[in-house]
Amino acid sequence: MKIVDAKVVVTSPGRNFVTLRITTDEGITGLGDATLNGRELAVVSYLLDHVVPLLIGRDPHRIEDTWQYLYRGAYWRRGPVTMAAIAAVDVALWDIKAKAAGLPLYQLLGGASRDRVRAYGHASGRDVPELFDSIRARQAEGYQAIRVQTGVPGLAKVYGVHRDGESAAEGRHPRPVVEDWDTAAYLRHIPGVFEAVRGEFGPELPLLHDAHHRLTPVQAARLGKALEPYDLFWLEDCTPAENQEGLRLVRRQTSTPLAIGEVFNSVFDYQTLVGEQLIDYVRSAVTHFGGVTPLRKLFDYAAQYQIKSAVHGPEDISPVGMAAAIHLDLAIHNFGIQEYSGHTALTDEVFRHAYTFTDGHLHPGEAPGIGVELDEELAAAHPYRPAYLPVNRLADGTVHDW
C-alpha cells in the first residue's frame, strides 16, 4: 500500500478547523486534525509546503517510522506548528491502518481498558446565580463532573466565562480582544465561589477549576491551599509550567490535585513534572502533541508515577482530534478524565462521527478507523474566517498571561 494523495481542508462551521486527508492507492482514506487555534494558516503552510510532498509514495503502515522521519528529519523540532502538522499525519495513518484492519482504532491500541470514558463539561457565570444555572444545565445534559469558571467583581471580561448556551467562538474578531485582569481580586473571590457551589450542589459532585496560567507559583500555592476545603477534582494550569521547577513550590504547599499541559507539545515539557511527581494529570491534546503515537508514550511514562491522563478537548479540537482522543482514552490503563465541550450542530454535520456522549460518558463507537467522515462539499461552503484568541492586560496596561 502507498500514499498517493494528501489534501488539506480548511473550514469554519462556527470556528476554524484544519484537516489533513490522506489517500492510498487502495482507496483507503484517513483523516487527521491539524487545528491550531489562532494560528491555523501557519499549520496549513507547514503541511502544504513541507510535509505533503514528503508523504507521496510512502507506506502508510509505517506509522512510527513516518513520525520519526517528520520529527527528526526536519532538524528544527517541537513547537506547536510542527507538532500539529505531525499529529495530523499520525492520526490519519492510524485511521488508515485501522480501516485496513476493519477495526476501530482502540482495538489496535490494545483493546478497551474500560467500558466508557468519563467526561467533564464547562459551567460558567458572570456571577454566582448565573453559575448555578450553568451547572444545572450541564447536569441536565448528563455531565457528572463539571469545570467551574466565574466572573470576578471589578473585571469586565474573564476568559472562559460567557452566557450559558453561548459558544466560545461567537463574536469572533479579526484582531485579539483585550481583556482585563486583577490577580488579587481573583484570589479573594474564587474560594467564596467554591464555598457557595459546594453549599448548593453538595460534596459528591466532582468540581474542576482552570486558573489559565495567570498565577505565579506563590500565588498558585496560595490558591490551591485556599481551595482544599472544597475538595477539587483538580486545579488546572495554576501557573505557566514552562518553568517546570516552579511547580515544586506549589506541590509543597497544597494537596489540591494539579493538572497541566494543554499548551505542551513534547514529552520534554513534562520531564521534571512527571519525574518528580509534581502534577496529577497530563493535559496535552492528540492534535497538539504530535498525534496518538507520542501521546500514548507520554501516558505510559506518566503511569510509572501514578499520574493519569486528561486530554485537552475544547471546541477548537475538531471531531477528528476528539475521536482519536476517545479511542486512546478507552485503551490506556491510566485514564483519568476527558474534557468534552461538544461542537455546534453544523460542525457535527461537516464531521460526521461515530463517537457518542451518554450520561456524562463518551464512547468512540465501533466503526473502522477513528470513526469520522468529512463532508468536503459542506466544508467548502464554510470558508476560513480570521479569528484570534484574546490578550490580557493588567490595570496599568501590562500584557499578562491568560
Side-chain angles (χ1 to χ4, degrees):
M1 189 186 296
K2 299 293 182 184
I3 296 171
V4 296
D5 186 53
K7 180 180 181 181
V8 179
V9 177
V10 183
T11 185
S12 187
R15 67 187 313 147
N16 295 318
F17 298 110
V18 179
T19 307
L20 177 67
R21 181 182 183 188
I22 295 177
T23 303
T24 73
D25 57 354
E26 296 184 11
I28 302 176
T29 61
L31 299 178
D33 181 20
T35 306
L36 185 62
N37 191 3
R39 295 294 184 269
E40 298 90 352
L41 298 186
V43 188
V44 172
S45 175
Y46 194 99
L47 283 168
L48 290 176
D49 297 333
H50 304 292
V51 173
V52 166
L54 304 179
L55 297 177
I56 307 305
R58 292 187 65 85
D59 180 354
H61 285 304
R62 297 183 62 172
I63 298 174
E64 177 72 26
D65 181 68
T66 298
W67 195 95
Q68 300 294 346
Y69 178 74
L70 295 176
Y71 179 80
R72 298 181 186 277
Y75 186 71
W76 305 107
R77 302 177 184 178
R78 305 166 64 188
V81 174
T82 295
M83 300 310 284
I86 294 175
V89 176
D90 185 79
V91 171
L93 295 184
W94 277 111
D95 194 17
I96 289 169
K97 183 181 282 287
K99 286 177 179 175
L103 294 170
L105 174 58
Y106 76 84
Q107 294 288 14
L108 273 64
L109 301 176
S113 289
R114 57 197 47 80
D115 297 327
R116 54 184 184 165
V117 172
R118 180 163 68 160
Y120 72 87
H122 295 179
S124 67
R126 293 164 298 175
D127 54 31
V128 170
E130 193 170 275
L131 174 62
F132 284 2
D133 290 342
S134 183
I135 293 172
R136 293 188 185 99
R138 297 294 81 73
Q139 290 179 312
E141 293 166 356
Y143 286 102
Q144 300 173 29
I146 297 174
R147 191 189 79 171
V148 171
Q149 306 296 128
T150 183
V152 176
L155 299 184
K157 175 68 174 173
V158 176
Y159 180 77
V161 177
H162 49 79
R163 291 184 180 87
D164 205 45
E166 175 188 9
S167 169
E170 291 183 27
R172 292 183 298 174
H173 298 275
R175 295 183 65 87
V177 171
V178 177
E179 299 180 349
D180 54 351
W181 185 248
D182 183 335
T183 300
Y186 166 77
L187 292 175
R188 289 192 299 268
H189 183 62
I190 288 298
V193 170
F194 277 90
E195 180 180 23
V197 171
R198 278 288 177 227
E200 180 72 15
F201 294 93
E204 296 182 359
L205 177 65
L207 299 176
L208 305 84
H209 180 65
D210 186 357
H212 225 270
H213 322 279
R214 299 183 182 106
L215 309 178
T216 67
V218 169
Q219 292 165 344
R222 176 183 162 193
L223 178 61
K225 191 72 173 176
L227 293 176
E228 286 178 11
Y230 312 113
D231 189 25
L232 266 63
F233 187 92
W234 78 39
L235 174 61
E236 178 184 346
D237 288 336
C238 59
T239 190
E242 294 94 326
N243 173 21
Q244 296 184 44
E245 293 82 0
L247 270 295
R248 293 172 181 155
L249 187 152
V250 182
R251 193 60 140 184
R252 285 196 299 265
Q253 297 299 321
T254 180
S255 61
T256 296
L258 303 174
I260 275 177
E262 69 181 58
V263 299
F264 288 173
N265 50 73
S266 166
V267 67
F268 299 105
D269 296 318
Y270 282 105
Q271 281 184 299
T272 299
L273 298 175
V274 172
E276 296 187 20
Q277 302 179 64
L278 301 179
I279 58 174
D280 302 279
Y281 297 89
V282 293
R283 292 274 295 127
S284 292
V286 171
T287 300
H288 303 139
F289 202 76
V292 168
T293 297
L295 196 56
R296 175 63 183 267
K297 294 175 183 178
L298 172 66
F299 292 156
D300 288 343
Y301 172 43
Q304 309 312 307
Y305 300 91
Q306 298 176 294
I307 297 170
K308 295 186 177 183
S309 75
V311 177
H312 188 45
E315 291 176 84
D316 50 68
I317 299 294
S318 87
V320 174
M322 180 59 63
I326 300 168
H327 281 278
L328 191 53
D329 292 337
L330 197 70
I332 61 171
H333 178 259
N334 59 323
F335 169 76
I337 199 166
Q338 172 65 55
E339 181 180 21
Y340 180 63
S341 300
H343 293 94
T344 66
L346 180 57
T347 297
D348 288 335
E349 290 180 33
V350 173
F351 299 92
R352 297 187 300 274
H353 54 79
Y355 67 77
T356 55
F357 175 73
T358 307
D359 296 331
H361 292 76
L362 293 155
H363 193 281
E366 300 298 332
I370 63 171
V372 181
E373 299 297 330
L374 173 64
D375 186 331
E376 291 196 41
E377 183 176 344
L378 184 57
H382 301 279
Y384 169 81
R385 291 173 50 195
Y388 286 87
L389 292 167
V391 297
N392 225 10
R393 291 187 183 272
L394 304 179
D396 66 357
T398 303
V399 174
H400 188 63
D401 296 302
W402 65 273

